[in-house]
Amino acid sequence: FLVLHFPVFYKEARVTTSSQVSVFIGADYLITLHSGELKPLVKLFRECQLEEEAREEYFNQGAGYLLYRIIDRLVDYCLPIINKIHQNIEGAEDNIFSERRADTIKEISIIRRDVIAFRRIIWPMRAVIATLEPKIRRFTKMDMAVYFGDMIDHVDKIWDALDEYKEIIEGLNDTYNSLASIRTNEVMRMLTIIATILLPITVVSSIYGMNIPLPFQDSAHPMAFVIIIMVAIIVSMLLFFRRQRWI
């Protein structure tokens, strides 16, 4: 009796979950129990129903060979999901360095969730498949060592790809955080400069707005004097900021 888990990607929810396959195997029988979400397993069953050649190929070599074909198809079914994750990573990388960064952190989080879920599914399956061939050897007439070795190699490649994607997505997340921090600092710098320039102007306007005698208040154009003072303050502060390389 075996219990295996394989990833299933739901396009609508954009989430990867595990689908369980339970297997009973004996000398002349093989029973699988599953929810029908794994398309390769459903397709293989239909082939056996409709095609005589498929039945002869799968059944004449014993239950062990049929189990190998089932697991091999399900392992290969993981490859399109891996490719989809790779495409999503490339898209997120392009968005990071473009101006359209509104939903980038959400995309990165979704990809990271898929990678973590995929790793959680593949990790226990590696150990099960690696030790499976000696246990089912008595259920087939063929030497299955080469076949299972090839399948284990596919599982290892999937695991290595997930390790690589995990490192890439962590790097992209750090890069996005760095760019977001730089952008925030730029915005805060500009706002600070604007507030610093407006502060003395506000003080001057407040002083000349009071009902007390002040210089040049009795001149023909008192507001012109105030405006000149404000313009002089703005120009001098901008020149000072420019000399300090703050702007």
Side-chain angles (χ1 to χ4, degrees):
F1 175 69
L2 306 173
V3 176
L4 301 171
H5 291 86
F6 293 92
V8 176
F9 181 76
Y10 292 97
K11 186 176 181 180
E12 294 78 9
R14 298 193 61 186
V15 62
T16 300
T17 60
S18 64
S19 182
Q20 178 175 308
V21 180
S22 302
V23 181
F24 293 89
I25 185 172
D28 56 354
Y29 65 88
L30 179 69
I31 303 172
T32 58
L33 303 175
H34 59 96
S35 60
E37 297 174 328
L38 298 170
K39 296 179 181 179
L41 192 53
V42 176
K43 184 178 179 181
L44 186 143
F45 181 73
R46 289 178 179 174
E47 288 179 2
C48 294
Q49 282 183 313
L50 302 176
E51 301 178 12
E52 180 66 27
E53 295 181 359
R55 287 197 296 270
E56 292 180 358
E57 177 186 358
Y58 299 148
F59 297 162
N60 292 343
Q61 303 298 333
Y65 177 77
L66 179 57
L67 178 61
Y68 157 75
R69 292 304 301 265
I70 290 174
I71 299 177
D72 184 59
R73 285 199 176 194
L74 292 174
V75 169
D76 291 342
Y77 182 61
C78 299
L79 298 178
I81 303 177
I82 287 287
N83 294 334
K84 183 63 177 177
I85 293 177
H86 179 68
Q87 294 174 4
N88 292 338
I89 290 176
E90 289 183 343
E93 184 177 0
D94 294 337
N95 290 335
I96 286 177
F97 297 101
S98 67
E99 296 299 326
R100 298 174 289 103
R101 296 200 295 262
D103 297 331
T104 303
I105 191 63
K106 181 179 179 181
E107 293 294 325
I108 292 176
S109 301
I110 291 174
I111 298 171
R112 173 180 285 180
R113 180 183 62 181
D114 288 341
V115 171
I116 292 174
F118 213 136
R119 285 167 56 87
R120 189 183 297 119
I121 297 168
I122 294 296
W123 172 251
M125 186 174 67
R126 296 174 64 205
V128 173
I129 294 178
T131 59
L132 189 58
E133 191 272 333
K135 298 178 180 180
I136 67 168
R137 191 176 297 167
R138 63 182 183 274
F139 300 136
T140 181
K141 305 172 185 178
M142 301 175 59
D143 183 7
M144 303 298 297
V146 176
Y147 295 95
F148 273 90
D150 182 67
M151 184 166 58
I152 292 171
D153 182 62
H154 289 175
V155 176
D156 290 338
K157 288 181 179 180
I158 293 172
W159 180 257
D160 293 339
L162 291 173
D163 266 348
E164 180 182 356
Y165 295 161
K166 179 176 178 291
E167 295 178 1
I168 292 174
I169 202 66
E170 289 176 353
L172 292 179
N173 186 67
D174 293 339
T175 302
Y176 177 83
N177 290 336
S178 299
L179 294 176
S181 178
I182 292 173
R183 179 177 175 83
T184 302
N185 291 338
E186 290 290 336
V187 173
M188 292 301 298
R189 184 177 67 172
M190 293 304 300
L191 293 177
T192 302
I193 291 173
I194 294 173
T196 305
I197 292 174
L198 290 177
L199 180 60
I201 296 176
T202 304
V203 173
V204 172
S205 62
S206 299
I207 292 175
Y208 276 86
M210 293 187 296
N211 190 20
I212 58 176
L214 293 171
F216 301 98
Q217 198 174 44
D218 297 331
S219 62
H221 302 285
M223 288 303 300
F225 174 75
V226 176
I227 293 175
I228 291 173
I229 294 177
M230 291 181 178
V231 172
I233 292 173
I234 293 174
V235 172
S236 60
M237 294 189 73
L238 288 176
L239 290 175
F240 176 76
F241 293 154
R242 185 67 176 177
R243 181 175 297 177
Q244 296 295 326
R245 299 182 184 275
W246 293 348
I247 57 175

